[in-house]
């Protein structure tokens, strides 16, 4: 029997159902959009590519991939203590993010039906993929005697409204960074199987191809709307979304570096590789990418990490709420200033390379 102290305790809505993590600026978000505006979009400029992508989705390459086998049928009490806590948090964040994609894509498929049939079918097929991913992750949580009530999440989460243009920016980056995260972990564990603490990572090779295909769709849909990419506002918004996604991942992962260490990965080096690859990939569609090799880029993110550690200590102190807030303000301002300075690092123009191999 494993000592109960080695099994972290999580707050539960009811026995076996984990209370969802508190919503913060770093947790996965749920989105909604202007469905009428999206239905009116003219996709004729790039319709051939979109139809080719639709045919790929219809093939459903991973139809039989997400099937649990005998390797899952064992006790996982050997994953204990802080590693167990961090791994459960990883499964929860991943499941929530996949389920968020399912809800958005399913609603888009429903709302666009009869108005934009190609897009409606693609969104429905992508929601199929996201539902599989979320279900597979939630089933993994059950190996640790927990699960998420996804119906409760649907009703209880706040929804962020983005215009279609920004939905495309955000979901494109989410899918592409997901690809690079999963394939990097898979390749690492393929070379170092002794660090594979749980069999879900063996599924990441085919799994990440779903993320890649989804990202390719958003690449194609943005190219069907040149006005989303070809002006000075697009350059500013590209920088904003790239920085938001990269900073959120880096701050989250370094905060949970123990999880990556359990896989034999250095969280900082892992994130730097993922950021480098995602940044390069984004250059295929965005007019600018970030200068992630600028000497200030990671230095400023490290300042934010140090600030967050101090904020956490203040939050865990016994001071009155008003005193806590006053003590936190300098670190909030510091984080804002560092992120603003990161935003104003001169980006790399790539729109002049349109039509070339990048």
């Amino acid at each position: 029997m494993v000592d109960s102290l080695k099994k972290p305790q999580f707050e539960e809505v009811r026995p076996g159902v984990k209370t969802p993590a508190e919503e913060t600026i770093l947790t996965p978000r749920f989105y909604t959009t202007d469905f009428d505006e999206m239905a009116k979009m003219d996709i004729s400029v790039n319709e051939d590519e979109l139809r080719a992508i639709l045919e790929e989705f219809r093939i459903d390459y991973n139809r039989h991939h997400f099937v649990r086998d005998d390797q899952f049928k064992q006790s996982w009490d050997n994953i204990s203590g802080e590693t167990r806590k961090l791994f459960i948090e990883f499964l929860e964040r991943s499941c929530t993010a996949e389920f968020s994609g399912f809800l958005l894509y399913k609603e888009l498929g429903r709302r666009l039906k009869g108005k934009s049939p190609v897009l409606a079918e693609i969104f429905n097929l992508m929601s199929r993929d996201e539902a599989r991913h979320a279900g597979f992750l939630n089933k993994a949580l059950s190996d640790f005697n927990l699960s998420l009530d996804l119906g409760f999440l649907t009703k209880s989460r706040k929804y962020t409204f983005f215009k279609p243009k920004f939905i495309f920016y955000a979901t494109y980056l989410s899918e592409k960074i997901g690809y690079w995260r999963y394939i990097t972990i898979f390749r690492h564990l393929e070379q170092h199987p002794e660090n594979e603490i749980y069999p879900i990572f063996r599924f990441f090779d085919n799994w990440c191809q779903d993320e890649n295909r989804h990202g390719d769709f958003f690449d194609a849909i943005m190219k069907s709307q040149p006005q989303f990419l070809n002006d000075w506002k697009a350059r500013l918004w590209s920088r904003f979304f790239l920085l938001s996604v990269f900073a959120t991942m880096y701050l989250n992962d370094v905060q949970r570096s123990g999880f990556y260490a359990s896989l034999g990965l250095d969280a900082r080096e892992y994130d730097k590789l993922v950021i480098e690859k995602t940044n390069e990939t984004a250059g295929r569609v965005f007019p600018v990418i970030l200068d992630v090799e600028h000497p200030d880029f990671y230095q400023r993110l490290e300042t934010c990490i140090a600030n967050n550690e101090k904020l956490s200590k203040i939050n865990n102190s016994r001071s009155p709420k008003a005193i806590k807030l006053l003590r936190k303000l300098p670190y909030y301002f510091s984080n804002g200033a560092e992120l603003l300075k990161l935003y104003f690092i001169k980006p790399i123009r790539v729109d002049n390379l349109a039509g070339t191999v990048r």
Side-chain angles (χ1 to χ4, degrees), residues 244-261:
S244 298
V245 169
F246 293 165
T248 299
M249 181 184 72
Y250 195 80
L251 298 182
N252 255 324
D253 287 354
V254 172
Q255 183 181 341
R256 296 168 174 85
S257 60
F259 165 67
Y260 296 94

Side-chain angles (χ1 to χ4, degrees), residues 243 247 251 301 304 334-344:
L243 179 58
L251 298 182
L301 287 177
C304 292
S334 175
N335 277 351
E338 294 300 322
L339 292 170
L340 195 60
K341 290 171 186 174
L342 280 167
Y343 182 81
F344 283 109

Side-chain angles (χ1 to χ4, degrees), residues 283-297:
R284 298 173 188 169
V285 61
F286 285 176
V288 297
I289 57 176
L290 301 187
D291 183 2
V292 297
E293 295 183 5
H294 191 286
D296 286 349
F297 188 80

Side-chain angles (χ1 to χ4, degrees), residues 151-196:
F152 177 75
L153 269 182
T154 305
K155 299 172 185 175
S156 64
R157 282 282 180 150
K158 295 176 183 175
Y159 286 73
T160 299
F161 176 86
F162 274 168
K163 298 281 281 182
K165 171 180 177 177
F166 303 134
I167 285 286
F168 296 153
Y169 284 174
T171 48
Y172 168 77
L173 285 172
S174 173
E175 299 287 5
K176 286 299 184 181
I177 207 167
Y179 166 78
W180 283 112
R181 285 174 65 82
Y182 284 4
I183 196 63
T184 302
I185 289 176
F186 176 82
R187 289 171 179 168
H188 166 74
L189 293 177
E190 194 174 37
Q191 295 175 359
H192 302 281
E194 69 279 6
N195 292 320
E196 185 188 78

Side-chain angles (χ1 to χ4, degrees), residues 49-62 122 125 128-129 209-210 212-214 216:
E49 184 179 0
L50 287 164
R51 287 188 178 276
I53 289 170
L54 172 55
E55 288 304 316
E56 280 218 354
F57 283 129
R58 285 172 175 167
I59 293 169
D60 194 5
Y61 294 103
N62 283 334
I122 290 175
L125 293 174
R128 169 204 67 198
D129 298 340
Q209 298 307 326
D210 281 345
N212 204 30
R213 281 186 285 270
H214 294 184
D216 288 345

Side-chain angles (χ1 to χ4, degrees), residues 259-276:
F259 165 67
Y260 296 94
S262 71
L263 302 179
L265 285 165
D266 179 284
R268 285 176 168 85
E269 294 307 313
Y270 165 73
D271 273 28
K272 287 176 182 178
L273 176 62
V274 170
I275 287 170
E276 175 194 340

